Amino acid sequence: MIRADDGTGVTRTWPTYCFGVYHWRERLRRVAVSGLVLAASVVGFRRSRGRRWLQLVALAVAGGALYRAGDAVRRLVSPAPWALDRGKYDALASILPLADVDRALDVGCGSGRSLVGLAPHLPDDCSVVGLDVFDDRVILGNGPQLARRNGARAGIDVSPVAGDASRLPFADGSFDVVTACRVAHDVPEDRRAAAFDELRRVCADDGTVGLLELPITPDGVDDYEAYWRRCLEDAGLVVERVTTVERTRRPGEPYVAIAATPR
């Protein structure tokens, strides 16, 4: 547990989470390569005594390697494995009718970050299912156990299910609310329409689909909000509410949250 002043002079306690390390293979590879280059430049510097220009080259290479290694380490822990950034999930929850939900599905839940973000807005007796491919090649530690544990720390009982967003293993109309947070852009374009069709299929006729997405679209598409709206509409959903959330590290490139209902 983390204890800290919430800014009002009141000390509050928050549960600690571990959401895994994103893109860990690529970033660790960069750290390793930078380390090898740094080591080689040090050896080169020592062997080039008396040849000042070679030493200067070795120092320049070492400086570049240090910079690249530092940048790779920074990216390795960004976002930090324990960080939540609750604001974007609060924004999505604000446009979804969560107060009376009996069954909720989060598609692409991963290690449970989105489940934890939505947890404060869900009723205590809500049945929560989290679906993901649970591939730890992208997120180190990604697995159903981690999603379940993080959910429990947030006060919800999560039932993790391994599956593909474009072939959801659930019956038609199984859920009152279906969410997909920062996952649709990762679905290959040739399967993306099928994934949105599946969101619609498993959502109850009087239910709601909630989408939280990054401003990432196919090449040649500039209006990301219109693109994600169209994906929902093409799947037979009617967009009811839309809101955006600014990203601290990417000003001008906000998240978009969309609530849509079946036609």
Side-chain angles (χ1 to χ4, degrees):
M1 306 293 283
I2 298 175
R3 297 180 183 275
D5 191 318
D6 67 357
T8 65
V10 178
T11 299
R12 298 186 184 277
T13 302
W14 289 275
T16 53
Y17 303 106
C18 177
F19 299 113
V21 180
Y22 280 68
H23 304 293
W24 64 281
R25 288 188 173 190
E26 173 192 350
R27 291 166 181 176
L28 280 179
R29 188 181 301 116
R30 290 183 181 180
V31 172
V33 170
S34 297
L36 290 173
V37 172
L38 178 61
S41 63
V42 170
V43 172
F45 180 86
R46 290 179 175 179
R47 291 183 176 179
S48 59
R49 291 178 179 176
R51 290 175 287 181
R52 188 172 180 79
W53 70 273
L54 284 177
Q55 289 183 323
L56 290 175
V57 170
L59 285 173
V61 172
L66 280 173
Y67 174 81
R68 286 179 173 271
D71 182 64
V73 170
R74 178 185 64 79
R75 291 174 180 272
L76 188 63
V77 293
S78 178
W82 57 86
L84 179 58
D85 188 15
R86 191 179 294 279
K88 57 182 175 287
Y89 301 112
D90 288 342
L92 176 61
S94 72
I95 61 174
L96 295 176
L98 298 179
D100 300 315
V101 170
D102 291 324
R103 283 181 56 80
L105 168 67
D106 185 45
V107 177
C109 69
S111 53
R113 191 177 251 117
S114 51
L115 292 166
V116 171
L118 294 171
H121 306 279
L122 295 170
D124 293 339
D125 58 350
C126 180
S127 174
V128 182
V129 178
L131 178 134
D132 200 88
V133 293
F134 294 117
D135 186 350
D136 65 0
R137 290 176 297 179
V138 177
I139 305 175
L140 181 61
N142 187 18
Q145 299 86 353
L146 194 55
R148 186 184 294 110
R149 182 163 63 246
N150 284 322
R153 289 179 177 177
I156 56 175
D157 184 11
V158 177
S159 299
V161 174
D164 185 336
S166 62
R167 296 188 299 273
L168 297 178
F170 308 110
D172 296 0
S174 297
F175 300 94
D176 303 308
V177 166
V178 181
T179 56
C181 301
R182 303 190 306 165
V183 66
H185 68 273
D186 283 331
V187 177
E189 286 185 46
D190 61 341
R191 301 211 315 267
R192 195 168 294 169
F196 277 93
D197 287 343
E198 286 291 272
L199 297 180
R200 163 63 185 92
R201 182 183 65 79
V202 301
C203 181
D205 289 339
D206 58 350
T208 307
V209 172
L211 181 72
L212 178 67
E213 259 309 331
L214 292 158
I216 299 176
T217 56
D219 292 340
V221 178
D222 297 324
D223 191 336
Y224 66 92
E225 182 180 318
Y227 172 76
W228 293 119
R229 288 178 64 118
R230 187 167 63 253
C231 287
L232 291 163
E233 291 166 349
D234 288 348
L237 294 156
V238 177
V239 172
E240 302 286 354
R241 293 169 293 278
V242 180
T243 188
T244 57
V245 184
E246 283 297 334
R247 300 160 68 195
T248 304
R249 296 180 180 176
R250 297 284 183 91
E253 299 180 16
Y255 292 105
V256 60
I258 306 175
T261 55
R263 292 173 184 165

